[in-house]
Amino acid sequence: MKRLFAVVVLCLVTCLAPLTAQAREEIRNFDAEIVVNADGTLDVTETITVNAEGRDIRRGIFRDVPLRNLDSWGFWSNNGFELVEVLQDGRPATYKTEWQGRFQRIYIGDADVFIPRGEHTYTIRYLTTRQLRFFDSYDEVYWNVTGNFGSLPILAAHARVRLPNGAIAEKISAYTGGFGDSGANFRSSGDRTRTVEFDLTRPLGAQEGL
């Protein structure tokens, strides 16, 4: 009886292990298209695919967009922001926005509606100004693609930066990890062209970003 009990328990644990792995809440893909317009405006489209299991993701997700930065004089600048489109699974979504310190937080989802468990895709498009930095011999696009303060792991992330006509990328770099880290878990392409792309080379944990 003892041997039979041990075998049964082992079989149950073996069968349940894949189900546990599949039930993790996570960001399965974070794709960002960042178009730099000639007037300095950034036109950003983010496509975020998540797996929801009714824990942290019950009614939807939220996204924090950085809009307050220290300028070269040490003063806080307020950057412009216009929300153009918010979709959930390809359809217009219910949303609201509010300030959270340096960030404009976008809540996506209906407070009275629980979303089904499983995979969902959210699309956010917005315009933001005063995000570029200007120096004597070059201008700089410095953008936090995924944010660094989320509680969910990010399995894959991709960012594409499109520069305006007449501009080329003289230098490209990126950082991965927690806030202030300088990890190099990415690959990039597009040096000396108008279109630069970045991809993660390993998943990110909670509180990590690209």
Side-chain angles (χ1 to χ4, degrees):
M1 290 296 293
K2 290 183 179 179
R3 180 175 301 174
L4 178 60
F5 178 74
V7 170
V8 170
V9 171
L10 179 60
C11 288
L12 287 174
V13 171
T14 303
C15 292
L16 289 174
L19 297 178
T20 301
Q22 292 175 1
R24 184 175 73 160
E25 289 193 326
E26 60 198 8
I27 297 173
R28 292 183 169 171
N29 190 60
F30 193 115
D31 183 270
E33 180 89 6
I34 303 152
V35 178
V36 184
N37 295 319
D39 63 0
T41 302
L42 298 188
D43 187 337
V44 182
T45 302
E46 298 173 348
T47 305
I48 306 168
T49 300
V50 305
N51 184 56
E53 292 296 331
R55 295 189 293 274
D56 290 333
I57 305 176
R58 292 182 292 176
R59 298 172 178 85
I61 66 170
F62 67 84
R63 168 73 170 119
D64 290 336
V65 180
L67 292 178
R68 288 177 175 162
N69 299 298
L70 283 173
D71 61 21
S72 58
W73 298 94
F75 295 105
W76 288 101
S77 65
N78 290 324
N79 303 328
F81 178 77
E82 177 187 350
L83 193 53
V84 177
E85 185 177 49
V86 181
L87 305 176
Q88 178 180 323
D89 296 325
R91 296 182 295 274
T94 299
Y95 66 88
K96 68 175 184 178
T97 62
E98 68 178 31
W99 279 104
Q100 291 281 335
R102 295 178 49 231
F103 305 96
Q104 179 82 270
R105 176 166 291 183
I106 307 167
Y107 291 97
I108 308 174
D110 191 324
D112 298 322
V113 177
F114 289 93
I115 64 174
R117 293 185 179 184
E119 192 168 278
H120 297 274
T121 297
Y122 297 87
T123 303
I124 310 168
R125 183 186 171 202
Y126 54 90
L127 303 174
T128 180
T129 60
R130 303 181 68 185
Q131 296 285 359
L132 305 186
R133 301 199 288 187
F134 302 98
F135 300 90
D136 291 340
S137 58
Y138 63 93
D139 303 327
E140 183 179 75
V141 182
Y142 187 81
W143 186 249
N144 190 329
V145 175
T146 63
N148 291 84
F149 304 105
S151 61
L152 299 177
I154 301 174
L155 303 190
H158 172 259
R160 181 184 296 107
V161 183
R162 297 187 184 276
L163 302 178
N165 289 330
I168 62 169
E170 295 183 342
K171 179 181 179 181
I172 57 178
S173 61
Y175 307 100
T176 59
F179 182 75
D181 288 349
S182 56
N185 299 114
F186 70 92
R187 61 176 178 269
S188 62
S189 63
D191 190 23
R192 308 298 299 178
T193 74
R194 284 183 53 214
T195 302
V196 180
E197 302 196 47
F198 301 91
D199 287 279
L200 287 178
T201 56
R202 73 157 176 85
L204 300 173
Q207 309 295 315
E208 290 188 322
L210 167 66

